[in-house]
Amino acid sequence: RIEEIKNIYEGGPIIANPLLKKYNVSYVVIGSLEHQKYTTLNEETFQTLGRVIFTSKDTLTKIYELNKN
């Protein structure tokens, strides 16, 4: 499962989307911890698969709501 989580954050939409559906994920948090842990984090994946519903004042943390389809 650790490798799957890494693939969600570092893979593109084609890799991440089936895994997000497998685990029924509705929201993804991207903050400084995720950027440190997943050095090749692909934020464009979540921009493609959903929308930002929260951005912190310092813009370091975002929460994405994923599309249902």
Side-chain angles (χ1 to χ4, degrees):
R1 186 168 173 179
I2 292 170
E3 190 64 28
E4 288 180 317
I5 294 169
K6 182 177 191 271
N7 286 333
I8 287 170
Y9 278 102
E10 294 184 335
I14 292 172
I15 294 169
N17 197 34
L19 294 170
L20 293 163
K21 289 189 183 305
K22 176 181 176 180
Y23 292 106
N24 200 26
V25 176
S26 298
Y27 300 91
V28 174
V29 176
I30 298 179
S32 57
L33 176 65
E34 289 75 23
H35 281 285
Q36 288 173 357
K37 186 164 184 150
Y38 307 105
T39 55
T40 59
L41 190 144
N42 185 353
E43 196 164 342
E44 289 178 10
T45 295
F46 305 105
Q47 294 168 354
T48 300
L49 299 177
R51 65 186 181 98
V52 175
I53 61 167
F54 172 81
T55 303
S56 63
K57 287 184 182 182
D58 60 11
T59 69
L60 297 177
T61 301
K62 293 180 184 172
I63 299 175
Y64 286 87
E65 180 179 40
L66 302 178
N67 300 327
K68 305 265 188 258
N69 50 6

